[in-house]
Amino acid sequence: MSGNNDRIWGVMAEFESVDQILHAAREVRKAGFTKWDCHTPFPVHGLDDAMEVRPTRLPWVILLMGAIGVGSAQLMQHWMNGVDYAFNISGKPLISWPSSIPVTFEMMVLFAAFTAFFAMWIANDLPRWFHPLLRKPRFARATNDRFFVSIEARDPQFDAQRTADFLRGLHAASVETVEMPQEKAALPSFIKRSIVVVTCAALVPPAMIYNARHEPSARPPINLVPDMDDQAKFRPQGETSLFADNRMSRSPVAGTVARGELREDSAYWTGMIGERFVDKVPASVNVTPALLDRGQQRYGIYCAPCHDYSGKGEGTVNQAAIALAEVGKAAWTKPASLHDERIRLQVTDGELFNTITKGKNTMPGYAAQIGAEDRWAIVLYVRALQLRQQPAGR
Amino acid sequence: MSDNRNILADCQAGDLAGKTARIGLAVGLLGLAGGAALGYAGNDHERQTQFWFAYLAAFFWMLTIGLGTMLFSLVAHLVGAHWSVTVRRLAEITQANLPILCLFGLPLLYPLLTDDVTVWRWAHAGDAGHAAAEAGHAAPADLGRQLAETEHHRLAAHKRPYLNVTFLLIRFAIYGCVWWLLSRYYFKGSVKQDTAADFAPTRRMRKWSAPSVIIFALTITFASFDLLMSLDEAWFSTIFGVNIFAGAFMSCFAWLILATKYLQSRGRMTQVVTAEHYHDLGKMMFAFTCFWGYTAFSQFMLMWYANMPEETHWFKDRLSPAWLEWSWLLMFGHFLVPFLGLMSRHVKRHKFALPLWAGYMLLMHWVDMYWIVMPNMNPSPTAEHNPVGAMDLLLLVGMAGILVWATARRAAGQALVPVGDPLLDKCLAHKNV
């Protein structure tokens, strides 16, 4: 096994029990060796104390990196949400700490966990491809039922003969000299070839992406799952050869109405009769205190964020948008005050309804979110709001 | 087992139990009487109301420590833990007193059942609720606030079938019975094991531990809903019970650390609880400090984000000028500072540092209870007056005394360590890697 040119790496002593290895560790330590180690099949309680291993500094490194994770998460979110892509989310401040906590927590854990994992590898000189002890057949039992002490030749106190005798004196079952082979084995060629192949293969996708980004192509895109990308179904505005007019969208058959879609009462459904807005809430709306309450509640949900609870148009969205507009991050038209002379006196109930349905200026239409009955309820509540803001007697 | 006889020789309370119980009782009665005297001295109705709120906070502080020790006893059997065997008896002794601790909740029936002072507004809702509703309509308050108030009364009315005095008393009786049965079963069973010939008592306790934990979880959750969350009858938080449980379990470990330290300083249990066991108790205290922070923040953030008036008002009241500092104190004092302070292995194994932190965490648990209870006295987002004073602290000291008295009283009868436990040898040899 050992060639003539091998130099001595150290000695290795084998022990049969936990008590023996603990005793041996204490004695080796007492003798003043510094470059030595114990190898056991399982964690032996008290071995660290016997060896006087100084406590690891790893926790401090992990703590530091955890703190860096916290700091970078905070900076990242504040920069993204507050500076780079300021986006108003339900009137919340752009930089607010509560919403940043979950990401901060995750980043802290991520940084700390990766640091713990990789710093442990570095601290233990891993990955290690070769160790001279592994050349000793006896040492295989270090993972099974034997305990080993190894003392390295680079220890200042080391002397091959005397150190071996010293270990024998500690009741070692066997003591062997461990050699370090002088010539280094070449990396097996199949590993070399694999590295080249894997590296080249790994470069293919980035090269393809690079190519795709710089070379426009007339060919259709690659579909990995074709029947999901291209489904046999009708889409709005689509074209088909199935019908004479080539359209996928079909009109209802002449003279029919879908269930629940009969909207004959145009005043109720559109707020208009012919081309004119109706003046008052149509008679088909049953005006009750309950409906007014419903209007108040819907108003609180859909209208108050912009128009605010009092209807002055100073809701939280408006406040935040003005703050954004001031720094040039948004274009904003202030919501109308519902107590405006025009809206109060000139805008009819029908036009109010129409505005809620279809929107106006920056206000979107709410027909998709609020049913017709609820839209009339809001109209009623807006009228009540307006009355309330007027001095008595008007 | 015969090897352990020397080690276990000092695991009897002996005359120390009587002495400690007397001191605890004296401190407890003086504290409670002093608090009552301060509360009722000036015939000031506001002050009397505050007394009952503070009493509730202090009582729940004591009760949760008791409940935490009960859960600890159950969980130790559930998971077959060996590290905790030598400190488990202290938890069993503490939780055996839950029925006695509950008796100190009986005075709270006075504000619940009479109209002299109002702690739970819904209990007097017949007239007071309507008066508040009418006051809301009369005052030209801003419409957002008024909407919230309308919603408040709608919710309160919606909860009436659950939140009424009769059903509440029935639930109290159920909690009391469940706790009485569980505490008795796990205390008696453990004591029986001390002298039993085989391990049948332990096997029985293990078998029942899983259903017991489920029942326990339901009772502590609903007890905290009924006593604390219902102080604001419109507010609801589904994580509230979990948050209370986290605080209770954390306090249990703080309590066990202090109790063990006290016994060791008086020459008891000197060899059965080592740095290894303290290390583990400290780890659990640390873990549940973090878990408390996690649940407390979850509760806050979801409500802050959804921003619905019927939920946020609870936090808005606690961010008023009067309570803002308490909220900060809770965030830093109950979570961030102990999170960093208890993180180190060396702190958890240190003779003085760990009990110091344990005492601090018990105090913080009271701060938590006080923060939950007290702002309900005059709930307002603009409140400026923070009522904390000598009375509130006296009541806390009084309840602590009662807890010490009840525990020490019970400690006299049997060993301080479950000497017959099948896992005792493993526990004595326990080492953290």
Side-chain angles (χ1 to χ4, degrees), chain A residues 344-366:
Chain A
R344 204 156 47 78
L345 302 176
Q346 292 168 19
V347 172
T348 60
D349 287 358
E351 187 176 352
L352 258 184
F353 180 86
N354 186 61
T355 306
I356 301 172
T357 310
K358 297 187 170 160
K360 190 160 196 172
N361 298 336
T362 44
M363 171 175 163
Y366 280 85

Side-chain angles (χ1 to χ4, degrees), chain A residues 141-340:
Chain A
R141 290 180 78 175
T143 60
N144 188 11
D145 61 348
R146 288 296 158 93
F147 307 83
F148 290 85
V149 170
S150 63
I151 302 179
E152 293 179 44
R154 62 196 170 102
D155 191 293
Q157 296 207 35
F158 184 83
D159 175 279
Q161 195 52 47
R162 268 189 291 130
T163 307
D165 289 344
F166 166 70
L167 286 170
R168 260 182 221 110
L170 300 174
H171 311 294
S174 76
V175 175
E176 285 183 46
T177 309
V178 184
E179 296 84 13
M180 175 67 107
Q182 282 303 81
E183 73 277 10
K184 286 196 173 155
L187 202 59
S189 62
F190 84 92
I191 292 187
K192 276 188 203 158
R193 267 177 277 144
S194 309
I195 289 174
V196 171
V197 169
V198 169
T199 311
C200 291
L203 284 172
V204 171
M208 285 173 74
I209 292 168
Y210 182 85
N211 184 47
R213 288 180 72 94
H214 293 274
E215 285 293 319
S217 164
R219 278 178 301 158
I222 302 162
N223 291 334
L224 291 178
V225 191
D227 56 351
M228 241 175 109
D229 292 337
D230 191 13
Q231 298 174 16
K233 69 174 184 191
F234 280 5
R235 295 165 199 272
Q237 314 280 342
E239 198 181 330
T240 175
S241 57
L242 191 65
F243 297 108
D245 59 1
N246 290 347
R247 289 189 308 180
M248 282 183 177
S249 307
R250 310 308 302 160
S251 314
V253 175
T256 63
V257 175
R259 276 174 183 268
E261 296 282 307
L262 183 63
R263 290 177 175 177
E264 278 192 312
D265 183 356
S266 83
Y268 179 82
W269 291 103
T270 64
M272 297 168 96
I273 294 178
E275 292 292 300
R276 258 181 61 83
F277 291 119
V278 294
D279 288 340
K280 290 281 155 210
V281 176
S284 46
V285 177
N286 186 14
V287 179
T288 58
L291 189 68
L292 196 60
D293 280 348
R294 174 80 181 167
Q296 184 184 39
Q297 194 210 24
R298 296 289 110 175
Y299 180 89
I301 294 171
Y302 292 108
C303 313
C306 287
H307 289 280
D308 86 58
Y309 289 109
S310 67
K312 293 196 188 97
E314 286 160 6
T316 48
V317 170
N318 176 58
Q319 291 164 20
I322 285 174
L324 276 183
E326 272 168 12
V327 291
K329 296 274 183 194
W332 182 250
T333 314
K334 187 178 177 301
S337 165
L338 303 175
H339 307 296
D340 193 79

Side-chain angles (χ1 to χ4, degrees), chain A residues 43 45 63 89 92 96-99 101-102 108 296 300 309-310 381 385 388, chain B residues 140 143-144 146-147 297 300-301 304-305 307 309 331 339-340 343 431-433:
Chain A
H45 287 306
L63 181 68
I89 299 166
K92 294 268 190 293
S96 59
W97 68 266
S99 62
I101 295 293
M108 176 186 78
Q296 184 184 39
Y309 289 109
S310 67
Y381 180 66
L385 262 186
R388 200 186 163 107
Chain B
L143 283 157
Q146 200 180 313
L147 270 178
F297 180 74
F300 169 73
M301 197 192 75
W304 174 85
Y305 223 119
N307 200 15
M331 193 168 86
F339 174 71
L340 293 171
M343 196 186 274
K431 283 227 158 52
N432 286 289
V433 174

Side-chain angles (χ1 to χ4, degrees), chain B residues 316-374:
Chain B
K316 231 178 160 198
D317 296 343
R318 278 153 187 79
L319 297 175
S320 62
W323 293 102
L324 187 63
E325 283 93 355
W326 277 79
S327 301
W328 282 105
L329 174 66
L330 211 53
M331 193 168 86
F332 280 90
H334 199 308
F335 173 60
L336 284 172
V337 172
F339 174 71
L340 293 171
L342 277 168
M343 196 186 274
S344 164
R345 170 189 173 94
H346 304 291
V347 172
K348 285 178 283 226
R349 296 175 78 93
H350 195 276
K351 286 202 279 212
F352 302 116
L354 186 67
L356 213 63
W357 276 109
Y360 169 84
M361 289 318 299
L362 281 184
L363 185 66
M364 277 299 135
H365 182 50
W366 175 77
V367 170
D368 184 23
M369 294 296 119
Y370 197 78
W371 180 84
I372 288 173
V373 169
M374 213 36 119

Side-chain angles (χ1 to χ4, degrees), chain B residues 118-167:
Chain B
T118 304
V119 172
W120 291 275
R121 269 163 306 179
W122 56 265
H124 317 275
D127 34 307
H130 285 299
E134 268 150 36
H137 278 297
D142 87 284
L143 283 157
R145 188 80 190 158
Q146 200 180 313
L147 270 178
E149 269 169 27
T150 315
E151 187 63 12
H152 186 103
H153 291 295
R154 193 186 68 75
L155 281 167
H158 182 67
K159 289 182 184 176
R160 195 58 47 81
Y162 178 84
L163 218 50
N164 59 69
V165 175
T166 319
F167 190 24

